[in-house]
Amino acid sequence: MRAKKENTNVRRDQLTAAALEVIGREGVHGLSIAGVSGQAGLGASSVYRHFESKDALLDAVLDHLQQRLLRNVTEVRAEAPGAVERLRLLMERHACLLAANPAVPAIVFSDGLSAGHPGRARKIRQIIECYLGEVRAIIQEGQAEGSLKPELDPATGSVLFLGALLPAALLCQLTGGDFQILEHYRKAWPIFRQSVAVG
Amino acid sequence: MRAKKENTNVRRDQLTAAALEVIGREGVHGLSIAGVSGQAGLGASSVYRHFESKDALLDAVLDHLQQRLLRNVTEVRAEAPGAVERLRLLMERHACLLAANPAVPAIVFSDGLSAGHPGRARKIRQIIECYLGEVRAIIQEGQAEGSLKPELDPATGSVLFLGALLPAALLCQLTGGDFQILEHYRKAWPIFRQSVAVG
DNA sequence: TGTACATCAGTGAACGCGCGTTCACTGATGTAC
DNA sequence: TGTACATCAGTGAACGCGCGTTCACTGATGTAC
């Protein structure tokens, strides 16, 4: 059956979202043009009306992901004043994001995306390092205001911040969602807090 | 040119090692029968003299990986008496293992291995949970002997132990080895230690 | 010690499947007059 | 208001490439007698 005609901007968003769903369900390895188009209710060849290639679609997915991650940082900065509370809120939001979008860890962990595609690997690296940079900035601000330990190396702190949730995301992915990321966050945050905050 | 004839047990080991090298260099996605056989100096079809299928080869690789991980635990138990020192040694060895074998994080993070292969996903999950179980046991022993904080949840502690190195391994993989895992370990261990040990 | 034979590892050619991609065509929607 | 036309999104069939796998054959090594 022929799908209803839609504006290409709308379809681009739909296909990007469809790709995220498929990746979340079947992993990056399981992402096929037919799968994505099917998820969006289109035939496989229709995808090429809106994206030049599978690579272009993947690039759009990565852009979407980066915006999503950085939006959390912006919101947290707006909502909380101190560095400690900002870190807590950010970790909580990050846990929610990972729990609600299994595609996120799948993409970050995947080597299928960057395989034989140096530009792609660079993009993923840039997304993570950008995120790490934001966390590092919050840590430095916290040290300046005196709420975080001055002897803490901000770069190491940011990597450990990521590490507080990363294995949980991995376990969640491997167990098909059985491992509860949010519950892990609740237990992990106090421990992380204790190792970076003063007092 | 025809390769020299070799015992199938020897070839199995060679092919498993070759697979680890190829995965370390090109990722799980880049692992092909032709690539593995080439690495071992054989033609592609020769692989089927020693493994029933690509799946069987991958299973052998996973078995090898599990043994490698658990050997670290056994050695650490033999070499250090206290829980804190055991955890430190284990983290150090784990960092060395990750740094020397880029295939390890590639396999753990990969979804290409488990894609459409529930048994494979279960195997990877079992390897990680087994490792986590060993760390948890060390933590519980430490609490019993009074060297680790009694209020620490051992399960959460074991996940955080993994998380102290996991993002470093990920960054190392994404940067093609530029990120120094061992250096990160040296900075991360004191922070982790402080959050789990008493005093 | 020599000979016939069984076993087993190595190989290139060929097969088949999955999947990204192209192409010619369809039909809906908007636009010019 | 009606008509002709341009634009653009959707589609199934077909193509081609990569890659796992099979097969018939080769040749080396070990073994029985």
Side-chain angles (χ1 to χ4, degrees), chain B residues 3 5 11 43 45 49-50:
Chain B
K5 202 171 173 177
R11 286 291 191 219
S45 56
R49 287 277 165 246
H50 314 291

Side-chain angles (χ1 to χ4, degrees), chain A residues 15 18-19 21-22 25-26 30-44 47 57:
Chain A
L15 288 168
E21 281 213 35
V22 173
R25 205 178 332 115
E26 327 222 9
L31 182 80
S32 67
I33 291 290
V36 174
S37 62
Q39 176 78 29
L42 296 178
V47 170
L57 171 61

Side-chain angles (χ1 to χ4, degrees), chain A residues 113-177:
Chain A
L113 272 182
S114 37
H117 203 295
R120 185 72 47 67
R122 228 177 299 125
K123 175 82 183 172
I124 297 181
R125 173 183 172 179
Q126 179 232 317
I127 291 175
I128 296 182
E129 289 188 340
C130 180
Y131 194 74
L132 280 176
E134 295 289 338
V135 175
R136 205 166 51 230
I138 295 179
I139 291 178
Q140 284 165 338
E141 290 160 21
Q143 291 176 322
E145 75 191 16
S147 60
L148 296 186
K149 296 180 181 170
E151 73 270 21
L152 175 71
D153 174 33
T156 305
S158 67
V159 174
L160 286 176
F161 178 88
L162 217 61
L165 291 186
L166 212 59
L170 182 62
L171 284 169
C172 184
Q173 179 182 327
L174 283 172
T175 59

Side-chain angles (χ1 to χ4, degrees), chain A:
Chain A
M1 192 198 63
R2 185 172 260 245
K4 209 186 147 224
K5 202 171 174 177
E6 268 296 356
N7 181 295
T8 200
N9 290 317
V10 174
R11 286 291 191 218
R12 283 180 66 94
D13 288 349
Q14 287 177 347
L15 288 168
T16 311
L20 278 170
E21 281 213 35
V22 173
I23 292 175
R25 205 178 332 115
E26 327 222 9
V28 173
H29 180 83
L31 182 80
S32 67
I33 291 290
V36 174
S37 62
Q39 176 78 29
L42 296 178
S45 56
S46 305
V47 170
Y48 293 86
R49 288 275 167 245
H50 313 291
F51 289 99
E52 201 192 336
S53 63
K54 190 184 185 184
D55 273 346
L57 171 61
L58 289 176
D59 286 339
V61 170
L62 286 186
D63 282 339
H64 181 85
L65 177 63
Q66 179 164 34
Q67 284 171 24
R68 194 77 177 261
L69 285 171
L70 290 186
R71 201 178 64 198
N72 275 357
V73 176
T74 314
E75 288 178 0
V76 159
R77 278 190 176 280
E79 291 174 27
V84 176
E85 179 62 8
R86 278 177 177 171
L87 288 177
R88 192 197 64 74
L89 251 185
L90 187 58
M91 193 180 283
E92 186 182 29
R93 301 243 165 154
H94 196 58
C96 287
L97 181 64
L98 293 175
N101 300 78
V104 177
I107 290 172
V108 170
F109 292 144
S110 169
D111 64 336
L113 272 182
S114 37
H117 203 295
R120 185 72 47 67
R122 228 177 299 125
K123 175 82 183 172
I124 297 181
R125 173 183 172 179
Q126 179 232 317
I127 291 175
I128 296 182
E129 289 188 340
C130 180
Y131 194 74
L132 280 176
E134 295 289 338
V135 175
R136 205 166 51 230
I138 295 179
I139 291 178
Q140 284 165 338
E141 290 160 21
Q143 291 176 322
E145 75 191 16
S147 60
L148 296 186
K149 296 180 181 170
E151 73 270 21
L152 175 71
D153 174 33
T156 305
S158 67
V159 174
L160 286 176
F161 178 88
L162 217 61
L165 291 186
L166 212 59
L170 182 62
L171 284 169
C172 184
Q173 179 182 327
L174 283 172
T175 59
D178 278 359
F179 188 92
Q180 295 299 319
I181 297 186
L182 265 169
E183 200 179 322
H184 172 77
Y185 149 74
R186 284 192 207 98
K187 295 191 210 147
W189 165 253
I191 303 176
F192 179 81
R193 181 206 156 93
Q194 198 177 29
S195 64
V196 298
V198 297

Side-chain angles (χ1 to χ4, degrees), chain B residues 5 25 32 45 92 100-101 108 113 118 132 161 168-169 184 192 197:
Chain B
K5 202 171 173 177
R25 205 178 332 115
S32 67
S45 56
E92 186 182 28
N101 301 79
V108 171
L113 272 182
L132 280 175
F161 178 88
H184 172 78
F192 178 80

Side-chain angles (χ1 to χ4, degrees), chain B residues 23-93:
Chain B
I23 291 175
R25 205 178 332 115
E26 327 221 8
V28 173
H29 179 84
L31 183 80
S32 67
I33 292 290
V36 173
S37 62
Q39 176 78 30
L42 296 179
S45 56
S46 305
V47 171
Y48 294 85
R49 287 277 165 246
H50 314 291
F51 291 98
E52 201 193 335
S53 62
K54 189 184 185 185
D55 274 346
L57 171 60
L58 289 175
D59 286 340
V61 170
L62 286 187
D63 282 339
H64 181 86
L65 178 62
Q66 179 164 34
Q67 283 171 24
R68 194 75 176 261
L69 285 171
L70 290 186
R71 201 178 63 198
N72 275 357
V73 176
T74 314
E75 289 178 358
V76 160
R77 279 191 178 281
E79 291 174 26
V84 176
E85 179 62 7
R86 278 178 177 170
L87 288 177
R88 191 197 65 73
L89 251 186
L90 187 59
M91 192 181 283
E92 186 182 28
R93 301 241 165 157

Side-chain angles (χ1 to χ4, degrees), chain B residues 40-197:
Chain B
L42 296 179
S45 56
S46 305
V47 171
Y48 294 85
R49 287 277 165 246
H50 314 291
F51 291 98
E52 201 193 335
S53 62
K54 189 184 185 185
D55 274 346
L57 171 60
L58 289 175
D59 286 340
V61 170
L62 286 187
D63 282 339
H64 181 86
L65 178 62
Q66 179 164 34
Q67 283 171 24
R68 194 75 176 261
L69 285 171
L70 290 186
R71 201 178 63 198
N72 275 357
V73 176
T74 314
E75 289 178 358
V76 160
R77 279 191 178 281
E79 291 174 26
V84 176
E85 179 62 7
R86 278 178 177 170
L87 288 177
R88 191 197 65 73
L89 251 186
L90 187 59
M91 192 181 283
E92 186 182 28
R93 301 241 165 157
H94 196 58
C96 287
L97 181 63
L98 293 175
N101 301 79
V104 177
I107 289 172
V108 171
F109 292 144
S110 171
D111 63 337
L113 272 182
S114 39
H117 204 294
R120 185 73 46 67
R122 227 178 300 125
K123 176 82 182 172
I124 297 181
R125 172 183 173 180
Q126 178 233 319
I127 292 176
I128 295 181
E129 289 188 340
C130 179
Y131 194 74
L132 280 175
E134 295 289 338
V135 175
R136 205 166 50 231
I138 296 180
I139 290 179
Q140 283 164 339
E141 288 159 22
Q143 291 176 323
E145 76 191 15
S147 61
L148 295 186
K149 296 181 181 169
E151 74 271 20
L152 176 71
D153 174 34
T156 305
S158 67
V159 175
L160 286 176
F161 178 88
L162 218 61
L165 292 186
L166 211 61
L170 182 62
L171 284 169
C172 184
Q173 179 182 326
L174 283 172
T175 58
D178 278 1
F179 188 91
Q180 294 300 320
I181 297 186
L182 265 170
E183 201 179 321
H184 172 78
Y185 149 74
R186 285 192 207 97
K187 296 192 209 145
W189 165 253
I191 302 176
F192 178 80
R193 181 205 155 93
Q194 201 176 26
S195 64
V196 298

